[in-house]
Amino acid sequence: MQLPSPRPKKLLNQVRDAIRAKHYSYRTEETYVQWIRRYILFHNKRHPCEMGVPEIEAFLTHLAVETQRWSPCAVPILVCRYRDGHQMASG
């Protein structure tokens, strides 16, 4: 009898692990996770691995123009997510 393989961690837990490995503060971790969560929800819960630059641009445009709540923090968070996160999700 073969045991089922363990399920991979959820995306935001992978992000948390990556941030903790870099020894960022808890507040930074929460900020990153919140921005990534908002990004995912904005795109109807699509996985970030399915999205690219056009989706980032659409999200930032939405923040800047439609909600007037743009944050300069969102850009580096999303760039970091795509640089480090694709490795987490695919690796």
Side-chain angles (χ1 to χ4, degrees), residues 1-69:
M1 185 166 111
Q2 189 175 6
L3 295 175
S5 60
R7 294 182 64 183
K9 287 187 176 185
K10 292 186 176 187
L11 175 68
L12 294 179
N13 289 334
Q14 291 178 20
V15 170
R16 281 179 170 37
D17 290 345
I19 292 169
R20 289 174 186 166
K22 293 181 180 186
H23 304 288
Y24 288 177
S25 74
Y26 176 76
R27 182 71 180 129
T28 299
E29 175 184 326
E30 289 303 308
T31 300
Y32 273 51
V33 167
Q34 285 300 320
W35 277 112
I36 293 167
R37 180 178 287 127
R38 289 177 188 163
Y39 174 69
I40 292 169
L41 292 175
F42 176 77
H43 288 292
N44 300 314
K45 298 184 180 180
R46 285 177 57 200
H47 195 283
C49 288
E50 299 172 0
M51 299 184 277
V53 173
E55 288 83 4
I56 293 174
E57 290 174 351
F59 179 64
L60 294 176
T61 299
H62 168 75
L63 291 176
V65 175
E66 297 175 23
T67 67
Q68 298 178 351
R69 292 180 55 201

